[in-house]
Amino acid sequence: GNSVTQMEGPVTLSEEAFLTINCTYTATGYPSLFWYVQYPGEGLQLLLKATKADDKGSNKGFEATYRKETTSFHLEKGSVQVSDSAVYFCALKEARGGADGLTFGKGTHLIIQP
Amino acid sequence: GAGVSQSPSNKVTEKGKDVELRCDPISGHTALYWYRQSLGQGLEFLIYFQGNSAPDKSGLPSDRFSAERTGGSVSTLTIQRTQQEDSAVYLCASSFTGGGWETQYFGPGTRLLVL
């Protein structure tokens, strides 16, 4: 079956530090890959996505590249802010259709200190 | 436009009681998903609807769980004879057609506590 593995944290960084959150996946087909974010007290929202190999998703200074050869979709940001403190979830979905939902990693709790 | 809404936002119930959770998806979205978020299990996919039809119910945790969708819109997730292990946040999401590449938009969730 499908699975997503990501570092669970908490990850604590200082403001303006470089961020990498690793995500690797196992899938039977050709999935789309997603990063969702959950800010304190808020619901899950899409941060970025990539739908095929070598695609780069980007949003709010965050980037992730779909690497089929390493089955990875690592999230990066060059300079984090306190407002980036949240839980980040890597997820995949098979491209064949909607018969199954998103498969999520366990989530990475990111804490940015001023 | 309005996002995905869920009700109630919080529900406290006694073990053995039945509960009904409601999801109202984004207007025009034909695909609807239920997930459960708990400390021990993370985010689990429960069931998917395309229109009013759920092609695969195997993700539901037990036969105490059931879900339906009517009119291609509102969905309800029913848990019968609740157990303490059912305590979790139940999330609903919708997307336009259910394609694998589509963004799923999540509701705020219903936080269920079974005493």
Side-chain angles (χ1 to χ4, degrees), chain A residues 36 38 46 49 98 101-102, chain B residues 35 37 45 48 98 101 103-104:
Chain A
Y36 277 82
Q38 192 168 33
L46 179 73
K49 68 180 182 183
L102 289 160
Chain B
Y35 296 84
Q37 185 174 24
F45 166 66
Y48 155 75
W101 60 92
T103 298
Q104 292 184 23

Side-chain angles (χ1 to χ4, degrees), chain A residues 64-82:
Chain A
T65 301
Y66 188 163
R67 301 283 187 205
K68 190 163 179 279
E69 63 276 14
T70 54
T71 61
S72 65
F73 193 53
H74 304 321
L75 182 67
E76 296 182 337
K77 186 174 185 183
S79 177
V80 292
Q81 305 300 312
V82 172

Side-chain angles (χ1 to χ4, degrees), chain A residues 37-43 45 47 60 62 83-88:
Chain A
V37 59
Q38 192 168 33
Y39 296 104
E42 298 185 18
Q45 55 187 274
L47 179 60
K60 298 182 181 181
F62 290 88
S83 57
D84 294 326
S85 297
V87 182
Y88 293 80

Side-chain angles (χ1 to χ4, degrees), chain A residues 9-28:
Chain A
V11 173
T12 303
L13 294 172
S14 297
E15 205 166 20
E16 299 183 3
F18 184 85
L19 169 71
T20 300
I21 301 178
N22 290 338
C23 171
T24 57
Y25 68 89
T26 302
T28 52

Side-chain angles (χ1 to χ4, degrees), chain A residues 5 8 11 15-16 27-29 40 47 53-55 58 73 77 87 89-90 92 96-98 103-104 106 110:
Chain A
T5 302
E8 292 186 34
V11 173
E15 205 166 20
E16 299 183 3
T28 52
L47 179 60
D54 300 324
D55 269 2
S58 61
F73 193 53
K77 186 174 185 183
V87 182
F89 294 91
C90 185
L92 69 81
R96 62 185 173 90
T103 299
F104 285 93
K106 296 276 189 194
L110 176 65

Side-chain angles (χ1 to χ4, degrees), chain B residues 6-12 21-22 88-90 108-112:
Chain B
Q6 293 186 244
S7 61
S9 52
N10 290 282
K11 177 72 177 179
V12 180
L21 313 180
R22 176 188 167 107
V89 178
Y90 290 83
T110 293
R111 187 175 299 273
L112 175 66

